[in-house]
């Protein structure tokens, strides 16, 4: 296949990837977008086969390995519960990172296959790109592994901090730059291996001080890194599809972490420098003062809702933990049969990743035109009868509007307190992710429903 | 007076960053989770490099010290490609509009 | 196995169309008139071609049958560049926020 | 200057142009954006000088011609009244189109200077690009000239139609393609000249059947064409800045004409195939039926507004014609002194070009945070006391919501009729651009103020 033809086809596949992301601008076009993505990938893989043109028995092995990886991937994709998406994404990122490292290693050992020169005599530009690709890939890998372990609960979510941590990290980063520099002048393979090892280490060190609850921001950041790594390798391989995709993924991750930080009203550095989860937990322990709360049971809740004419549902992380989305949907169906208007209010950072609640509600067959964003629905609370808060906490906390001392001050919140009555489904009075108390629990018009979210919703449905 | 292809690639890279910026901002927030999984899938186009690396051997030595890394990378990338696109498809299939007749 | 630079230029062209699409949709409707005048100004980069054409002569024949077109194009493009940017600036200078103390 | 360095600098200038457009996403960043545009242009021009490197006396002439053109441009920019922006833009486009033609001619006569081969032996790809650039440039030129003449009123705005017009146009377009084909195989300069001449002709023929009032859409379309012409020349000159800019301008024009067509609820083809203005004018003449209207004077209007607590101003094309923006602003200042809440409602196609009203209000020092788009303000009419409609007509016409037969059916309109009272400032009962009667004139709560917009507003201010 001529170089021009394959370059054109790679361009087409890059454009298809752009269209894949563009499709996500609305649910209707999103499925078509995904299809574009798949076609783009097919083109890229086919063109690569044809332009290498080496149909030896190696080719058969490639197909076999592809099939092995593909089946594993497909298996995971079908088995994974929707609630485990944050872990899944973290796990997948680690694989992209590692793949980038492997490709860089292979190119370093056998540069001829990539047309980059001979071993020990690799083109300077390619060597730099290769080193960057390998280092960023390695950081992505080890960082994502830690994120995965923390999210899965295999590793404690508590931030691991020690003295001189930031200094050590800075030192390692500097050493990576120096290593790259020497690698380029000496072309020594030892330096290359050291570079990769040190990059693995720094990825690990950067992530451990970050609390488990901040992992979503970290995942997005690593997503961004994996994009830049891919782009770096793209420059080495002189491949347009990789360069375009790398840049897309790089921006996408950066924007998502920005959106999350903004939704929490924290700066990116505040998240990355770590230690947030630690404060949170200690604050959580301190809150021992006892104020009176009104608590009720499923019967009370059912009564309140039966007499309401409009109900707004506010789901949060607890709904995901309890896997209560299906039970919730059934409750809402029953309400609707009684001619009660129901809508869902989704806070931008409800749950543990952007769009988390939307996916879960979609899984439970909630039509997306009943689901509203914060800005769309926030004015409606004043006219609604009941706010049904299920497993959400921080995203309803009015302290964000009133107390400049609070860590979440300035974060936009859902104005549930404006409803005639507020129902809170959670297991205890314990605080949410940000570790701060929620004054709403103690309000006149609040009824606490202490139970697991799924059980409580099922009970309410029975009582309706 | 030939222009180094690197300059062109750099142009492509920079322009793509702009596109990424805009295209991602235009994604509706309710699809942010599928966005994460689909970007994951497309970033596995790194498999292009993996294939070149894997096929760098010849009929006698299929698994050389360098091609072996390519084969490993193929597995990893393939997991991502299939996993990423399929899980996205699974998610997107769930986003439905309210039926009119309801 | 060299790639024709045309392919690269084509890539740049296509990616720029995407950027144009997004960047223009993100322009606030109240600035659509300045948008028209500023796109007018920037499309006058065609002056680049005009300058090359104008300087194609030599010390003896400055105004050749080909360079004369270049000189004409320079005038036209210059009108646009100065006119376009200045009128845009004049318009934009008028867009003011309400003063707080009012 | 090395080819690589200049290519990089051209890229930078292209990126600066992107940033220039990006700046327009909000008024605050827009001035900075314009500055980016200017810097980008400076870079492009400087790089071109340095890479040609021919500092003969020709260079001095270039500077002289630049200065001549620049002074003319600057003079126009400072003298032009804001109300003449549509004409100005049309005029400027014609210049870009002609410049593209000139550059293409020069490259055709002396291809060596551009490194494209020798006369009569030009590289095929370059010849195709050149032909496209020249043809599109010529169409842009003659089309824009007609648009300019129609907008200036030098040429009648009435559509000029004759039998077989569309067939003739189609024939000419086909002949352009055939000419391009033969040009490429023969490299004959005669064919090149014929191609340009025919392109001028088609630009002329395409625009004359379109009514004067539809010129804004045409201008935008020609803007788009001028972009594609620039991109074509960019391919010939292998210049990144030109390619990027051409694509930006090409999309921008296309999107703006789309926005206008959508705002009028007409299809692009409906506009381009012409004849709309004709129907409009004839309908205007036919409307002779007399229904009773309530008409008042400045005193009545002042009384109504003085007793209002909130007033919404709806400006339209008539305000531009009467240059009433400054008088309006003074009236509003007086109202505000009386503690009356005033806001401005801008319909997307009010006036004769997108953003027309906004520029005029900005000129009159109206702060842009008092000016609202249709979607932002449409719900507020129900709560406002007075809608002050000044020189607007179609954009308030409720027929767009009620009568599927009406040419503007489906176009979003401002719900002024929901206000307690509506004041209409216009000179007569004659219809607006779309040529259809406005039922609002005859409503109970409407008061017509028949006068020139500027005079009437000044009178009202005196009476307040
Ligand atoms: N979405 C994102 O992208 C993202 C990213 C990073 C950080 N965050 C942060 O995550 C937080 C999200 O707020 P949120 O309101 O959704 O959650 P939250 O504030 O973390 O509160 C979740 C609540 O759910 C309750 N809960 C847990 N398991 C439950 C179960 N099985 N049944 C019933 N209730 C259960 C918990 O109370 P009990 O223990 O008493 O039951 C907890 O108070 C925000 O602070 C946000 O900044 C979000
Ligand atoms: N903005 C765009 O981009 C664009 C582009 C293409 C088409 N259009 C079309 O333009 C129209 C714009 O609607 P519009 O409501 O702004 O304008 P309009 O419907 O054209 O009405 C303008 C009104 O202003 C009155 N008028 C004219 N000169 C006046 C003066 N000196 N003093 C007072 N009144 C005066 C006219 O009535 P009298 O003669 O009785 O005074 C006329 O009814 C829409 O139909 C739209 O589709 C807009």
């Amino acid at each position: 296949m001529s170089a021009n033809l394959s370059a054109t086809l790679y361009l087409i596949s890059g454009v298809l990837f752009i269209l894949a992301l563009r499709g996500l601008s609305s649910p209707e076009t999103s499925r078509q977008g995904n299809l574009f993505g798949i076609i783009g990938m097919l083109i890229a893989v086919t063109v690569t086969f044809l332009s290498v043109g080496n149909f030896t028995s190696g080719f058969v092995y490639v197909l076999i390995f592809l099939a092995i990886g593909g089946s594993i991937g497909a298996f995971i994709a079908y088995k994974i519960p929707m609630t485990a998406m944050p872990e899944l994404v973290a796990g997948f990122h680690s694989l992209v990172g590692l793949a980038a490292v492997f490709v860089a290693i292979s190119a370093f050992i056998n540069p001829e296959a990539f047309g980059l020169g001979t071993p020990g005599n690799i083109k300077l530009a390619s060597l730099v790109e290769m080193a960057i690709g390998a280092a960023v890939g390695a950081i992505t890998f080890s960082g994502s592994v830690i994120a995965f372990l923390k999210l899965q609960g295999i590793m404690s979510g508590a931030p691991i901090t020690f003295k001189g941590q930031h200094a050590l990290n800075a030192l390692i980063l500097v050493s990576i730059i120096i290593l790259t520099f020497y690698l380029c002048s000496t072309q020594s393979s030892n330096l290359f291996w050291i570079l990769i090892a040190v990059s693995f280490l720094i990825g690990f060190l950067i992530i451990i001080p970050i609390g488990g609850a901040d992992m979503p921001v970290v995942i997005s950041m690593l997503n961004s890194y994996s994009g830049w790594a891919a782009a770096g390798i793209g420059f080495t391989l002189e491949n347009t599809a990789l360069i375009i995709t790398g840049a897309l993924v790089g921006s996408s991750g950066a924007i998502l972490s920005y959106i999350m930080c903004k939704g929490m009203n924290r700066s990116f550095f505040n998240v990355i420098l770590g230690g947030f989860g630690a404060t949170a937990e200690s604050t959580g322990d301190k809150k021992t003062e006892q104020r009176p709360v009104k608590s009720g049971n499923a019967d009370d809740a059912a009564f309140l809702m039966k007499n309401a004419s409009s109900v707004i549902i506010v789901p949060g992380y607890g709904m995901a933990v309890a896997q209560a989305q299906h039970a919730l949907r059934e409750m809402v169906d029953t309400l609707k049969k009684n001619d009660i208007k129901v809508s869902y209010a989704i806070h931008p950072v409800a749950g543990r990743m952007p769009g988390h609640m939307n996916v879960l509600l979609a899984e439970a067959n909630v039509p997306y035109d009943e689901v509203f964003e914060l800005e769309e629905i926030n004015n409606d609370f004043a006219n609604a009868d009941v706010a049904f808060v299920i497993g959400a906490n921080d995203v309803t906390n009015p302290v964000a509007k009133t107390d400049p001392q609070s860590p979440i001050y300035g974060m936009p919140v859902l104005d549930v307190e404006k409803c005639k009555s507020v129902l809170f489904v959670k297991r205890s009075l314990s605080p949410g992710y940000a570790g701060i108390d929620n004054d709403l629990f103690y309000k006149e018009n609040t009824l606490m429903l202490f139970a697991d979210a799924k059980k409580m919703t099922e009970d309410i449905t029975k009582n309706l | 007076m030939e222009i180094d292809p690197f300059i062109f690639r750099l142009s492509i890279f920079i322009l793509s960053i702009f596109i990424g910026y805009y295209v991602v901002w235009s994604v509706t927030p309710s699809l942010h989770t599928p966005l994460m999984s689909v970007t994951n899938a497309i970033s596995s186009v790194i498999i292009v490099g993996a294939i070149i690396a894997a096929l760098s051997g010849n009929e006698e030595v299929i698994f050389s010290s360098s091609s072996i890394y390519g084969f490993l990378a193929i597995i990893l990338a393939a997991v991502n490609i299939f996993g990423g696109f399929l899980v996205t498809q699974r998610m997107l299939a769930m986003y439905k509009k309210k039926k009119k007749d309801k």
Side-chain angles (χ1 to χ4, degrees), chain A, chain B:
Chain A
M1 191 179 262
S2 90
N4 285 338
L5 182 58
S6 65
T8 312
L9 289 169
Y10 281 131
L11 170 65
I12 292 175
S13 108
V15 169
L16 284 166
F17 291 148
I18 295 175
L19 294 176
L21 298 194
R22 189 173 123 73
L24 292 172
S25 59
S26 89
E28 287 102 64
T29 53
S30 63
R31 282 171 281 262
Q32 196 195 25
N34 202 39
L35 194 65
F36 283 142
I38 294 173
I39 298 174
M41 190 61 77
L42 260 177
I43 294 179
V45 171
T46 316
V47 172
T48 313
F49 278 137
L50 296 181
S51 44
V52 175
N54 178 356
F55 295 106
T56 59
S57 43
F59 179 68
V60 179
Y61 281 103
V62 168
L63 288 183
I64 293 174
F65 281 74
L66 238 166
I68 296 175
S71 342
I72 301 175
F75 180 79
I76 298 175
Y78 281 112
K79 286 293 165 202
I80 194 96
M82 281 298 138
T83 40
M85 285 312 298
E87 296 91 295
L88 181 74
V89 172
F92 277 175
H93 283 161
S94 70
L95 302 185
V96 178
L98 196 57
V101 175
F102 284 165
V103 173
I105 294 177
S106 181
F108 185 80
I109 301 182
N110 186 2
E112 282 123 327
F114 295 85
L116 307 175
T118 52
N121 198 9
I122 299 174
K123 277 190 280 178
L124 184 65
S126 307
L127 196 56
V128 175
E129 291 150 7
M130 219 182 268
I132 295 177
V136 179
I139 294 174
T140 310
F141 172 71
S142 56
S144 301
V145 167
I146 304 291
F148 176 78
L149 294 177
K150 286 200 175 194
L151 282 167
Q152 273 284 40
I154 299 176
M155 187 170 155
S156 145
I160 298 169
T161 47
F162 53 87
K163 248 191 99 195
Q165 194 160 30
H166 296 318
L168 179 65
N169 289 352
L171 199 76
I172 297 184
L173 283 177
V174 171
S175 76
I176 287 185
I177 295 168
I178 298 176
L179 274 170
T180 312
F181 185 79
Y182 275 105
L183 173 63
C184 292
S185 52
T186 62
Q187 305 243 354
S188 137
S189 63
N190 284 340
L191 283 178
F192 188 70
W193 294 110
I194 296 175
L195 176 70
I196 291 176
V198 172
S199 302
F200 277 129
L201 183 65
I202 184 79
F204 175 77
L205 285 174
I206 286 177
I207 308 303
I208 51 163
I210 305 179
D214 274 336
M215 281 305 126
V217 185
V218 170
I219 297 179
S220 246
M221 184 190 79
L222 293 171
N223 189 357
S224 178
Y225 285 1
S226 74
W228 305 129
I233 303 286
F235 275 100
T236 318
L237 304 186
E238 313 200 326
N239 185 301
T240 320
L242 256 172
I243 296 178
I244 295 180
T245 318
L248 288 178
V249 175
S251 333
S252 137
I255 292 173
L256 281 182
S257 22
Y258 172 79
I259 288 177
M260 278 189 262
C261 292
K262 221 185 63 169
M264 300 190 289
N265 200 34
R266 287 169 63 196
S267 80
F268 185 67
F269 284 102
N270 178 298
V271 172
I272 291 310
L273 295 182
F276 189 72
T279 349
E281 279 174 38
S282 62
T283 332
D285 295 342
K286 266 185 284 169
K287 289 275 172 214
T288 38
E289 57 159 327
Q290 279 298 184
R291 285 195 274 166
V293 298
K294 279 206 292 187
S295 98
N297 57 24
D299 209 9
D300 305 330
F303 177 80
L304 260 172
M305 289 204 269
K306 234 187 306 194
N307 292 310
S309 68
S310 70
V311 173
I312 299 181
I313 314 267
V314 179
Y317 178 58
M319 181 187 81
V321 176
Q323 304 239 30
Q325 64 270 30
H326 296 280
L328 180 67
R329 158 80 207 228
E330 278 162 32
M331 187 189 91
V332 169
D333 281 346
T334 321
L335 287 176
K336 280 204 235 155
K337 270 194 212 115
N338 292 317
D339 274 335
I340 298 165
K341 198 177 153 269
V342 188
S343 28
Y344 298 80
I346 310 288
H347 189 279
V349 294
R352 284 294 176 271
M353 69 191 291
H356 197 177
M357 293 298 115
N358 304 78
V359 178
L360 296 182
L361 292 179
E363 189 198 6
N365 273 319
V366 174
Y368 61 80
D369 35 11
E370 287 177 10
V371 179
F372 299 92
E373 316 265 314
L374 179 113
E375 310 85 48
E376 293 169 338
I377 204 168
N378 225 1
N379 291 327
D380 297 351
F381 282 108
N383 305 320
D385 297 309
V386 176
F388 186 77
V389 183
I390 171 165
N393 185 345
D394 296 343
V395 298
T396 65
N397 199 333
V399 85
K401 291 179 283 192
T402 52
D403 179 8
Q405 302 305 320
S406 154
I408 62 168
Y409 181 71
M411 154 171 156
V413 289
L414 291 161
D415 298 334
V416 289
E417 73 273 17
K418 296 206 177 134
C419 270
K420 295 217 184 63
S421 32
V422 183
L423 301 177
F424 265 98
V425 183
K426 62 200 299 285
R427 296 160 309 178
S428 66
L429 280 180
S430 65
Y433 166 89
I436 46 175
D437 215 18
N438 192 336
D439 274 345
L440 275 187
F441 299 165
Y442 314 105
K443 279 252 171 106
E444 188 53 36
N445 62 347
T446 302
L447 189 70
M448 301 297 298
L449 306 167
F450 293 118
D452 176 76
K454 187 170 178 191
K455 226 191 130 291
M456 177 54 78
T457 353
E458 285 166 352
D459 288 352
I460 295 176
T461 316
K462 277 188 212 128
N463 282 301
L464 271 171
Chain B
M1 281 287 282
E2 273 300 294
I3 298 171
D4 187 333
F6 174 77
I7 307 281
F8 289 119
R9 299 209 174 84
L10 188 69
S11 315
I12 291 174
F13 179 63
I14 291 174
L15 297 176
S16 300
I17 292 179
F18 275 101
I19 297 180
Y21 174 85
Y22 281 109
V23 98
V24 172
W25 270 118
S26 78
V27 170
T28 163
S30 67
L31 293 176
H32 274 158
T33 300
L35 172 66
M36 289 180 92
S37 62
V38 88
T39 50
N40 191 270
I42 65 174
S43 66
S44 321
V45 65
I46 191 113
I47 197 166
V48 162
I51 294 174
I52 301 178
L55 292 181
S56 62
N58 50 37
E59 196 62 61
E60 284 83 49
V61 201
I62 289 166
F63 295 98
S64 69
S65 68
S66 95
S67 77
I68 192 87
Y69 286 106
F71 282 109
L72 290 177
I74 286 180
I75 298 195
L76 299 178
V79 171
N80 258 304
I81 294 177
F82 283 76
F85 281 122
L86 289 176
V87 87
T88 312
Q89 200 165 44
R90 210 181 121 202
M91 272 192 263
L92 292 178
M94 300 181 318
Y95 282 79
K96 281 188 209 90
K97 246 202 177 132
K98 189 157 38 186
K99 283 202 209 82
K100 284 264 164 57
D101 51 14
K102 264 212 165 172

